[in-house]
Amino acid sequence: MNTKTENAEHTEAMKNVQSAHREKMATKKSAERGLFLLITGDGKGKSTSAFGTVIRALGWGHKVGVVQYVKGNWKTGERQFFQRFPDLVTWHTMGQGFTWDTQDREQDIAASKAAWEISREMLASGEYDLVVLDELNIVLRYDYLLVEDVLEGIMARHERTSVMVTGRDAKDLLRDKADLITEMTPIRHPFEAGIKAKRGIDY
Ligand code: ATP
Ligand code: MG
């Protein structure tokens, strides 16, 4: 087959792909209300996926709320970066360190509840296009919050607001209602080779 025929065949094939794609898209509806996105699994990339989405939203001038559960007041690259956008990003950190640092269950429960009240208000307020609840799955796994309450707050969010929940071991009740679920699959992690968390990569 000569090059000319090959090119013509390629053009024809691409036209077919394009029209099939257009037909498929015509059946889809645009999301009029905010979506519920759930990022879970044991592999690395859950929080970075959420912060990547925050960047995408900010590119459109959207308003974003972030509540970081679990992480405490650790200095992270993401927090330092998003603090540059105070009119678009509202940031709340739960305040305590990791549970195995504090070893104070009552204190962790109180901090989780306070963070959830802020999250609930953000979701209901109608002021945000996107609310990220980072590591919320972890406090739910420890039963620091009632999953039923959290689900109710998520489903009662303002219609303009998308919500993104991250963390391992997402509860089934959340999975049942999420519009999107992604499970990160670990294949290899430098931690297994004895390499510690790295600035700019892990935090
Ligand atoms: P990231 O914030 O890098 O996107 P993540 O949100 O998916 O990671 P978390 O469960 O929140 O992961 O854990 C945060 C920290 O644990 C990060 O420093 C990350 O590199 C590390 N980590 C994530 N997955 C693994 C793994 N499979 N083995 C060891 N360490 C991990
Ligand atoms: Mg994370």
Side-chain angles (χ1 to χ4, degrees):
M1 198 171 10
N2 66 32
T3 313
K4 220 170 165 185
T5 333
E6 255 180 282
N7 286 347
E9 279 183 6
H10 178 79
T11 306
E12 191 53 34
M14 286 301 109
K15 270 189 194 156
N16 290 337
V17 170
Q18 190 184 48
S19 65
H21 179 70
R22 280 190 185 144
E23 263 172 47
K24 203 166 120 195
M25 292 313 288
T27 68
K28 307 271 184 219
K29 48 187 195 276
S30 65
E32 274 154 28
R33 61 171 290 148
L35 298 171
F36 172 17
L37 316 170
L38 188 57
I39 313 290
T40 190
D42 292 336
K44 172 174 162 64
K46 299 174 289 296
S47 297
T48 40
S49 167
F51 295 126
T53 308
V54 173
I55 288 172
R56 196 170 264 174
L58 293 183
W60 292 102
H62 289 180
K63 288 255 165 72
V64 178
V66 177
V67 179
Q68 276 198 303
Y69 287 81
V70 183
K71 247 167 211 160
N73 277 321
W74 281 20
K75 199 170 184 182
T76 60
E78 58 268 25
R79 186 144 55 107
Q80 296 181 80
F81 179 75
F82 290 121
Q83 273 170 352
R84 296 184 197 172
F85 304 91
D87 5 328
L88 292 179
V89 182
T90 307
W91 195 282
H92 180 80
T93 310
M94 196 168 99
Q96 257 76 43
F98 280 115
T99 39
W100 45 91
D101 282 341
T102 62
Q103 294 170 353
D104 184 341
R105 194 165 179 274
E106 290 305 312
Q107 188 182 299
D108 285 348
I109 290 173
S112 303
K113 284 185 173 161
W116 169 244
E117 279 318 307
I118 289 167
S119 311
R120 190 204 288 279
E121 277 167 30
M122 279 182 172
L123 290 167
S125 70
E127 283 174 39
Y128 299 96
D129 300 281
L130 174 66
V131 172
V132 170
L133 306 176
D134 189 34
E135 316 301 349
L136 176 59
N137 289 334
I138 306 299
V139 300
L140 290 171
R141 186 181 66 181
Y142 287 126
D143 296 320
Y144 289 174
L145 297 172
L146 276 177
V147 64
E148 290 81 4
D149 280 356
V150 167
L151 184 63
E152 193 211 306
I154 286 172
M155 298 318 284
R157 71 190 182 278
H158 191 277
E159 64 170 8
R160 84 178 258 203
T161 305
S162 290
V163 56
M164 199 155 183
V165 173
T166 81
R168 294 171 186 213
D169 300 315
K171 294 236 174 179
D172 287 342
L173 222 54
L174 297 191
R175 290 175 191 257
D176 290 345
K177 293 288 182 187
D179 296 295
L180 174 142
I181 307 173
T182 293
E183 292 245 12
M184 296 294 174
T185 307
I187 307 294
R188 181 180 299 149
H189 193 287
F191 186 74
E192 296 146 24
I195 300 168
K196 281 199 223 164
K198 190 169 165 59
R199 177 183 286 188
I201 301 288
D202 293 302
Y203 61 90

